Amino acid sequence: EISFKSYRPSNTSIFDLPSDLIKDIYMGSDHIIWVSTNVGVSTYLAEKKFTPIFPDFSAFGDPDISSFAEENDSILWLGTLVGGLFEYNLHSGKSTRVENPTLTIDNFDLNKITALYKEGEHLWIGNGYGVSKMHIPSRQFTNYRFKNQEGTTLPGTVVRCFFRDSNDILWITTQNGLIQIDGKKQTVFQPDPSDPLAITDFITMDVLEDVDGNLWASTSGEGMCEIKWDEEKGRYIFKNYRIDLSGLTNISSIINCVIKLDPYFLIGTTNGLILFDPETKTYFRDKKLAPEIQGYINSLAMDQAGHLWISMDDGLLGFFPEDGRLASFDIIDGLP
């Protein structure tokens, strides 16, 4: 039996959830859940008990925490939307703002952190300026300001995610193009109407690698995009496979989310759920793998038992492949 327990704010205890507006949720290695809200941060460990955390954000007041990254069992990195980067010591409760001395503190975009990605001794930081990489032990920063193919510096970008592929190349999805960092070389891939081999969408959502090691990017409105290095041309070539040309009916061409369902990709759109086969480059439906549903899909997740969870504008769906059952969960089950 699947049931839900809802946690709502109240004025009866400091151990209640402090706000309805949840910004982010992060599960630490010690199984403590960190909850960021519009009025601060809380941790959750025991049932129905939220412990308020009061990092010292000094002059920034409430900087609106947007992202988490864990260094070890003592240090948690907090990315904020107006205050920059903070290091939070789990044992002492002390919070320290980590400034990037190579950029001006008055730059609001610098303080707007949208994504964090820890990799060894480095912390990648996506901000309104572009991307910065911090060497954690030395606190030394490397800043990346990107230029498009015409050599024009991007005015800024919103980073969605970082992805390191099997060839040790870092890909960064943004609202202003797909970014690649290969060693010391940085490249921005943007649409170019005069280039049939260019990517066809500015907004990239995720980068994924299929079972054969081939790279794919999910775009906002141009479907799945195959990324290949062409030795003869000495460049990357992009080929988009548009959903609206697939022949499927009652489906949107706007992708919101993608997860791997090896060997396929499962895609949530603004109207419907479909699968994509990276080998045949085709979209399809298969009721044994995923239910045929319509509606605005916000996100997809698969648990350890192989059950699929679908977050939609009108509720939560659970799909259980072992018996093909599709269940809808609502207020009766405990959802608020």
Side-chain angles (χ1 to χ4, degrees), residues 89-142:
N89 189 301
L90 302 176
H91 299 314
S92 68
K94 183 180 179 181
S95 180
T96 305
R97 187 175 187 273
V98 180
E99 296 184 8
N100 185 344
T102 59
L103 298 175
T104 169
I105 194 173
D106 296 325
N107 187 332
F108 177 81
D109 287 342
L110 166 64
N111 296 328
K112 183 179 181 180
I113 294 176
T114 58
L116 294 175
Y117 172 55
K118 183 179 177 295
E119 192 174 49
E121 292 187 336
H122 293 93
L123 183 69
W124 291 90
I125 305 163
N127 52 45
Y129 169 89
V131 171
S132 297
K133 181 177 68 172
M134 181 181 73
H135 182 245
I136 297 173
S138 66
R139 296 294 195 271
Q140 296 295 310
F141 285 83
T142 303

Side-chain angles (χ1 to χ4, degrees), residues 9 16 27 56 71 103 157 177 186 188 191 225 302 312 327 329:
D16 288 331
M27 172 74 80
D56 179 15
E71 180 176 343
L103 298 175
T157 187
Q186 304 100 47
V188 178
C225 177
M302 184 164 288
M312 304 184 67
F329 300 96

Side-chain angles (χ1 to χ4, degrees), residues 15-312:
F15 297 113
D16 288 331
L17 186 69
S19 171
D20 287 296
L21 184 55
I22 308 299
K23 296 287 187 176
D24 197 11
I25 297 177
Y26 174 78
M27 172 74 80
S29 59
D30 51 7
H31 299 290
I32 293 178
I33 298 174
W34 293 77
V35 182
S36 167
T37 73
N38 62 319
V39 296
V41 187
S42 295
T43 59
Y44 174 83
L45 181 59
E47 184 176 337
K48 295 185 178 179
K49 183 178 180 181
F50 289 84
T51 303
I53 303 297
F54 302 102
D56 179 15
F57 293 127
S58 65
F60 290 93
D62 174 22
D64 204 348
I65 295 173
S66 59
S67 50
F68 296 90
E70 192 171 17
E71 180 176 343
N72 50 45
D73 59 1
S74 300
I75 301 297
L76 194 69
W77 297 101
L78 307 177
T80 73
L81 291 179
V82 297
L85 178 68
F86 288 83
E87 177 192 66
Y88 183 73
N89 189 301
L90 302 176
H91 299 314
S92 68
K94 183 180 179 181
S95 180
T96 305
R97 187 175 187 273
V98 180
E99 296 184 8
N100 185 344
T102 59
L103 298 175
T104 169
I105 194 173
D106 296 325
N107 187 332
F108 177 81
D109 287 342
L110 166 64
N111 296 328
K112 183 179 181 180
I113 294 176
T114 58
L116 294 175
Y117 172 55
K118 183 179 177 295
E119 192 174 49
E121 292 187 336
H122 293 93
L123 183 69
W124 291 90
I125 305 163
N127 52 45
Y129 169 89
V131 171
S132 297
K133 181 177 68 172
M134 181 181 73
H135 182 245
I136 297 173
S138 66
R139 296 294 195 271
Q140 296 295 310
F141 285 83
T142 303
N143 302 307
Y144 299 86
R145 195 67 186 270
F146 302 103
K147 297 181 179 181
N148 60 21
Q149 301 293 341
E150 288 74 36
T152 304
T153 301
L154 298 186
T157 187
V158 176
V159 174
R160 285 184 51 88
C161 72
F162 297 89
F163 176 78
R164 177 77 68 178
D165 69 21
S166 57
N167 291 318
D168 202 31
I169 296 174
L170 184 67
W171 299 86
I172 307 169
T173 62
T174 80
Q175 301 291 99
N176 201 13
L178 177 64
I179 296 172
Q180 180 201 70
I181 298 181
D182 185 3
K184 295 183 178 181
K185 182 182 178 181
Q186 304 100 47
T187 308
V188 178
F189 300 102
Q190 291 182 324
D192 181 355
S194 65
D195 184 359
L197 302 180
I199 195 169
T200 54
D201 200 336
F202 281 97
I203 303 175
T204 48
M205 311 296 284
D206 293 288
V207 174
L208 307 98
E209 201 164 359
D210 64 27
V211 291
D212 296 319
N214 302 310
L215 284 178
W216 295 84
S218 62
T219 69
S220 176
E222 294 291 327
M224 297 300 294
C225 177
E226 186 178 23
I227 308 171
K228 281 195 171 183
W229 175 259
D230 190 306
E231 287 286 353
E232 184 177 339
K233 293 182 173 62
R235 57 166 290 184
Y236 280 94
I237 59 174
F238 298 84
K239 186 172 183 180
N240 281 76
Y241 297 88
R242 294 176 58 94
I243 295 176
D244 57 4
L245 299 178
S246 65
L248 295 176
T249 58
N250 300 321
I251 197 72
S252 172
S253 60
I254 301 176
I255 295 176
N256 277 344
C257 50
V258 181
I259 62 172
K260 292 182 70 174
L261 189 64
D262 286 339
Y264 310 120
F265 297 139
L266 184 61
I267 301 171
T269 77
T270 54
N271 185 34
L273 184 68
I274 54 174
L275 293 124
F276 180 75
D277 186 340
E279 183 175 352
T280 62
K281 283 85 172 176
T282 55
Y283 297 95
F284 67 101
R285 292 188 175 104
D286 187 329
K287 293 182 180 179
K288 293 182 180 180
L289 298 175
E292 187 173 328
I293 57 175
Q294 296 179 29
Y296 197 108
I297 297 174
N298 295 294
S299 61
L300 300 167
M302 184 164 288
D303 64 26
Q304 292 178 331
H307 301 151
L308 178 65
W309 298 93
I310 308 164
S311 166
M312 304 184 67

